[in-house]
Amino acid sequence: MMKLPKLPWPKDRTLFAIFFWLFNLSLLLVVLVGFVPFIGVAIVNDALRGEVPISILVPVVGLVGVPTTSTVMGIQRQRRLKAIHRLNLEPMPERPPERQPLTLGQIFFGLEAPILMACTLRLFFFRDLTGGSAFIFTSMAIATVIFAHWLFQGRHQEPSSANWLHLAGLTIMLALSTYLAAIALFYVIPIVKVVAFGLFGSVVFLILLPIFFPLMILFSGLVSMPWGMLVVFRNSWRQTLDFLATRYGKLWTRIGVGGVIAVWMSALFLLQQQPQAKAFALLESKPQTEGDRVALLQKSELIREGLLNAYLGAYRYPLLENRAIFSTYRYFIGLPDGISEAIQAAYNAVLSPFAYQGTSFDKEKAEQLYAEFFDTPILRGEHEAIQTAVLSNFNRAEAKAGLLDINAERVQLKHQDITVTPQGDWAEVEIHEEYANTTFDQTEILYYFSLPESAAVTGLWLGETGDRAQRYEYQVSPRGAAQEVYNTQVQIRVDPALLEQVGPRNYRLRAFPIPPVGQDLLPEDGQPDTMHLWLTYTVMKQDGQWMLPALNERRNIFWTDSTERTVNGTKRSGIEDWLPSSIPADEAPASAHQVEFSEGYILAQPLAADEYQLPEGKNFAVILDQSYSMTEHRPSVQQSFQWLKETILAANTVDLYLTDTDANQAEKVSLDTFDVDDQVFFGRMQTRQMLEQYQAATGANVSGDRPNPYDAIILLTDSGSYELTQDGDPLDLSAPLWMVHLGGLHTPYDDATLETIQNSGGNTADDIETVMTRVATQPSLGEGTSLLNVVDGYGWFLSQQADPFSPRADGMAPLAARQWIAQVSEAVKPDQLSQLDAIHQVAKDNSIVTPYSSMIVLVNQQQQEQLEEAENRSDRFDREIEDQQLPSPENAIAPVTAVPEPAEWLLILFGGSILGLWYGRHRLARLEENQVNQTI
């Protein structure tokens, strides 16, 4: 057997052994008492619902498992040493290397330290992992496993026990340890000064020293880890290197080490490339030709990746224009500006793998460029990636249901009852739901849903229990006042609910707060653990069915097979949809009705199938949205134009107007020769911009006058981007505006667009055939009557005299009021408060939701007083566009209350304890250094 070099193994000193046990016991104490009950349980709870990536869940488990495992290993080592001494074996330094047990230093610095540092950095420092940071964490994990195998199998002084895999793993771990130690060097001087300040300048700290002792032990361990790791891995690497050099020669071992470093560094370099610079360069100037646009569209994936990386820069890169080192050395240490700048530059260079290559202004720039290029908010277009980034954090998300909470599963629909009360060919429908929060945060739920255009929402209630006698009732309030009060109450975590009409058929329902899970276990009496909500509406029968709300979007709410569902007391199955699309009605035939109204009598007359017509001799303007988001709807556009050519064009005139993101006016082209396949859908276009381009092309002035009148203006577009719209005044169009949303109805409209549709006498649809049929069908009941609307199988008329052939139906007053309001809205201007108040009064008298009147549920007198104040202001009908942006990392989970919850107070105290430990530990080190110097 060839003779091998021996390396001295460090002995376990009594002081380090004491530190080892104190550190692990302190860590377990802090984690189990201060972290797991609050943050840890919340993360595990979110992980069970699939809202936390595995890269966050693993560190949570590691913070508990690593010190526990190290403690067990230390106990087993002590038992083995005792057994050795009982057998009177040779002293430890004389034992053969292959039988030598692990030292506490190897356990702590070789196994516990790298895993614990990785868990801590991943959980508290890194948010959304990039390819480079994920590569570093993966390398550390693999190298730690290799080192563990080397400790148990390959550290014996025999050449056959050492292999090239051990050398590769130890080389990587040595490089990482050196890197961590280099970073730690920048904090040595500040730490020493902080320690001196804490020990000599803070009497309070000395008094509270026993309280901070466990935290001081933890901090001491974390500070020593980089250098301890460097020593342990250097010794291990050196021993393995010497073993392999003895067997294979120094040349091959040097080549092996160099190859490992070269491959690892090359992979890290490739994965650290940031794409935002290329994306910004591509979008720096607007394309001048169609060829330029096509070239950009071909690079859309690169542009998307670059803009997303810039938008998430603060989440993906811990260092984003960080100047903390300069400030520390300049103002805390007192060094000159030049030296402080040099230290900051060196620090930035060392941490360049984790630094964003840009500025903090890139986020807003990326957000704007993404919207302009892809015609959708980046929060919607990259919802999954952004949601992963925000949730990749030990703190949990905000309570309010924003764009990031689309389809999030936080509040379970526990119970749902649908009750239909038929009244012949119309019915009253009630939906009762019970919600159970699955998180530890108060949470908002949100529904966007659609109802038949003729339906009228008649009631909204909230309750802490299912007892109807104790529920809180709605108030019909001006839309702007209701929105303002609701948002204010959400900020202070008081129960409100808000139901708004945000389109001719579209509604937005929000309720807050759904009580946290376990609320019923609190010591206070009467604390609910669920919330109940009731919604009622009146609807006409269509095709033998009672139509139910159609879900367009949900936030934070979810349902499972355990959700109890009933329809008129009969249990129903199925978990795919929020509600069934409809419920079968009885055989009662459609009939005429009349409702006495303040302006006369409103009549409802059923229409037979042969009464519907297609237009003849009409003039139509069709505006085509040519923004980027229309790309996926190209087949639907082709199908719509083909139907127009085959069915409408022969008996009518159709002028086609093409919008363009960079044009001042739309281009008028012939529908006969137009080919959708030749069009390039590019850039961002909003409804207002397209209508203004149409007006410019037709020579219309601000009053809507135009030389060539049309019977209807049809805007062919997609679902649109509500969050990208801007507040403005409604446009005055010369013909009814019909919005045709290919791929589904627009979720919400901004108020200016909604009023433009209403004031023009137009409406919305999801296909062009419906528009043409409704425009052409104009039934009449003779003199003394005027047509209000043709919708959902009925013609609605206003008459000054009662119709002897139509029975009275006072229960249909909400439906009649809705039709009257839709008609009079055409003549209302947004600045005519008296007219808006008159319309709102009709809504209040009939308890319905309209585009101008919302339903809000309040639960206390303070809310009522705030609402009364808002209702008396001149802006009571002004509703804001709500668009929750991505929160910055430092505020990503800021509570929506001014008063911290109990768990938040504990975190504040824990953070203060860490700060106190930081000051105290380093002041003590400084004192010891002074004592040593005096002794010398």
Side-chain angles (χ1 to χ4, degrees), residues 709-787:
Y710 294 105
D711 294 287
I713 303 168
I714 302 170
L715 176 55
L716 207 61
T717 182
D718 58 353
S719 60
S721 298
Y722 164 76
E723 295 81 14
L724 294 181
T725 56
Q726 298 178 351
D727 290 318
D729 296 327
L731 296 175
D732 191 359
L733 299 178
S734 56
L737 171 63
W738 286 82
M739 303 281 290
V740 178
H741 296 288
L742 302 178
L745 292 177
H746 200 301
T747 302
Y749 286 103
D750 63 285
D751 287 340
T753 300
L754 179 57
E755 291 174 15
T756 298
I757 297 172
Q758 293 174 329
N759 297 350
S760 69
N763 217 298
T764 63
D766 54 10
D767 61 79
I768 203 165
E769 295 94 326
T770 299
V771 175
M772 290 299 176
T773 301
R774 289 186 61 177
V775 167
T777 303
Q778 299 289 326
S780 174
L781 291 182
E783 295 183 4
T785 63
S786 58
L787 179 65

Side-chain angles (χ1 to χ4, degrees), residues 12-28:
D12 287 331
R13 305 295 183 186
T14 302
L15 183 60
F16 181 78
I18 295 174
F19 171 79
F20 175 86
W21 297 113
L22 287 177
F23 178 88
N24 285 286
L25 291 176
S26 299
L27 179 58
L28 287 173

Side-chain angles (χ1 to χ4, degrees), residues 58-105:
V58 169
V60 173
V61 177
L63 287 180
V64 179
V66 170
T68 302
T69 303
S70 296
T71 302
V72 171
M73 292 178 66
I75 293 174
Q76 290 179 341
R77 178 186 180 281
Q78 293 300 108
R79 289 177 177 176
R80 183 177 177 186
L81 288 176
K82 291 180 180 179
I84 291 175
H85 287 295
R86 281 198 302 268
L87 294 174
N88 295 320
L89 294 180
E90 297 178 358
M92 281 288 297
E94 306 289 332
R95 294 178 56 77
E98 67 272 17
R99 300 179 59 188
Q100 186 176 6
L102 297 180
T103 66
L104 292 181

Side-chain angles (χ1 to χ4, degrees), residues 518-579:
Q519 182 79 11
D520 55 331
L521 301 178
L522 294 178
E524 295 88 348
D525 294 333
Q527 290 292 335
D529 63 340
T530 62
M531 177 182 283
H532 293 256
L533 182 143
W534 291 262
L535 168 70
T536 61
Y537 67 95
T538 304
V539 66
M540 305 296 294
K541 182 167 62 176
Q542 295 184 47
D543 300 324
Q545 302 286 319
W546 304 120
M547 306 306 294
L548 293 177
L551 183 65
N552 297 325
E553 184 175 291
R554 61 177 173 87
R555 300 183 187 178
N556 285 334
I557 184 76
F558 72 101
W559 40 88
T560 66
D561 53 1
S562 65
T563 300
E564 299 177 3
R565 302 166 183 256
T566 65
V567 178
N568 287 335
T570 302
K571 184 178 180 180
R572 80 175 183 92
S573 58
I575 66 170
E576 294 298 326
D577 299 320
W578 174 41
L579 298 164

